[in-house]
Amino acid sequence: MDELIRLDALGAGGPYHSRSRLTITELTGTPVAELSLVPRLFVQRTMAALREARTLPAHERATALARAGRLFATGVVDGISAEEYQHIVSRVSGMPITVVRSATAGIGRRAGEAYRTTRYARPEGAVDDWRDPLTRNGQAVWTRRGDVFAVHAAGNHPGVHTLWLEALALGYRVAVRPSRREPFTPHRLITALRESGFGDDQVVLLPTDYAVADDIIRDADLAMVYGGEEVVNKYGNDVRVLPQGPGRSKILLTGHDWESHLGTIVDSVSAFGGTACVNTTAVFVEGDPAPVAEAVAERLSAIPSLPPEDEGAVLPVQPVADAHAIEKYLLDHVNGATPVLGGDGVVDDLGDGSGVLRPAVFLVDRPDAPQTGIELSFPCAWFAPWSRADGIEPLRNTLVLTAVTDDDGLVDRLVEDPSIRNVYLGDTPTYLMPPWVPHDAYLGEFLMRTKGVIRT
């Protein structure tokens, strides 16, 4: 690419090309874009403009979201076609092109469905408008907890940008701080939203340096923040912030028929290049986990090392120095675990400055081994023994738990545990996330509340 892509901030007054800019490089270190970083004063003025803006009527929001979804997924946005966008994201983020292509279509669909999917979170006894005839005798009205919603986005997968579309659908004005790793998806999506009916003062893109990032959250009514354990620790006690931390998704296998579930285990570990919070990172086996780990490792070892833009690519790619840093973190935390795959290293150097992160499989000797809580940005799974005497404690603190069991009493305990956010039963991959199934509860539960209205 001869000319750098210009990724302007998208403020309440339109695109903004700042003097402070960050160069975005692809995997080999070649510059591909310049991202404008906005100063604190720009953030403050933009957030104030969002607060003063008027919300579009519901039917206009739904129509604009559907139109934007089609444009994002198939059209030319800011001079870049969908195919060009997908290639750029793949080469910059290292995500396999098929994953990016699927995510593009998924964002398009979820934008079109965003208004309808917010209905899943609305209490059955509530109505949307105080003018509803039911309020004459008294009724709950479903109403926003605020007006301005901020998002500190992740860059591990384009699909993270489907969730905040529901905030727009519900009438919030939205400010997105993009990941420096992959700002192309939110820039394209917000541009498409603006071209489809949302005003510049309805949805904004605010790239900032770290010193200014918290200003966006401070000036919003509510916020959603992606990140690691440090994000959970920082914002976990703030009722205004919804942290989206590590998923630590797990599979529990009871009984002896694990062979018929082997494909589901492999797919749960490796789908999306193993980069998502819904990828399985720990497998608990009633009995000896070694045969299961060895069978999974055999399947994963057959995946080829390919550049991300190759149609056959499955595994993520990183700049080779970054890949070796991830590898070092893994090997530094083995701490007595038995390697089944990847014990000698997981980086396959492609010779162009980038490296494939190959799968890793390890065995631990007890269900409460600390390694079962490790989540990395590639297919890496820890296999542990489990017995009914161990109970559900080793299975806690997980986004998705797939349980292969016939024990209804065990399922009762899993569903009742508040730290297990989703329970899938049987041969169901952990990454399955249809729009009617909550991710980490419905976002609408966080954004909305009921208010009693009586008209006499």
Side-chain angles (χ1 to χ4, degrees), residues 94-125:
M95 187 164 294
I97 187 68
T98 54
V99 175
V100 178
R101 193 177 294 133
S102 175
T104 304
I107 292 171
R109 286 193 303 273
R110 293 294 288 268
E113 298 169 348
Y115 185 79
R116 180 176 61 83
T117 56
T118 62
R119 308 294 90 186
Y120 296 122
R122 191 186 74 178
E124 187 175 344

Side-chain angles (χ1 to χ4, degrees), residues 234-425:
K234 181 176 181 179
Y235 297 107
N237 294 322
D238 190 335
V239 297
R240 298 171 51 252
V241 178
L242 179 65
Q244 297 290 287
R248 299 191 179 98
S249 296
K250 303 173 179 69
I251 292 177
L252 171 65
L253 299 170
T254 67
H256 303 286
D257 179 29
W258 59 264
E259 290 94 341
S260 62
H261 305 290
L262 182 59
T264 295
I265 302 169
V266 172
D267 289 346
S268 294
V269 172
S270 61
F272 315 131
T275 62
C277 56
V278 291
N279 282 115
T280 295
T281 55
V283 180
F284 295 84
V285 181
E286 188 175 33
D288 184 5
V292 189
E294 290 162 1
V296 170
E298 182 179 6
R299 292 271 192 100
L300 292 174
S301 67
I303 300 174
S305 293
L306 296 168
E309 70 275 16
D310 191 292
E311 290 294 331
V314 173
L315 302 173
V317 181
Q318 290 288 302
V320 72
D322 294 347
H324 279 298
I326 295 170
E327 177 185 68
K328 183 179 186 302
Y329 180 91
L330 169 66
L331 298 180
D332 285 349
H333 287 78
V334 170
N335 292 339
T338 302
V340 182
L341 178 66
D344 294 328
V346 296
V347 177
D348 194 351
D349 194 330
L350 292 177
D352 61 355
S354 68
V356 177
L357 284 162
R358 294 201 53 77
V361 173
F362 289 86
L363 280 165
V364 294
D365 59 5
R366 65 183 202 274
D368 62 346
Q371 293 94 327
T372 60
I374 293 176
E375 180 174 289
L376 297 172
S377 56
F378 71 101
C380 178
W382 307 83
F383 286 72
W386 179 89
S387 71
R388 290 165 203 257
D390 295 313
I392 68 168
E393 184 63 29
L395 310 174
R396 300 184 73 248
N397 299 309
T398 184
L399 178 59
V400 182
L401 173 67
T402 287
V404 180
T405 182
D406 294 324
D407 185 340
D408 288 354
L410 173 61
V411 175
D412 284 340
R413 294 194 295 278
L414 297 175
V415 172
E416 291 165 0
D417 188 281
S419 75
I420 302 172
R421 276 94 82 195
N422 299 280
V423 177
Y424 295 172
L425 302 178

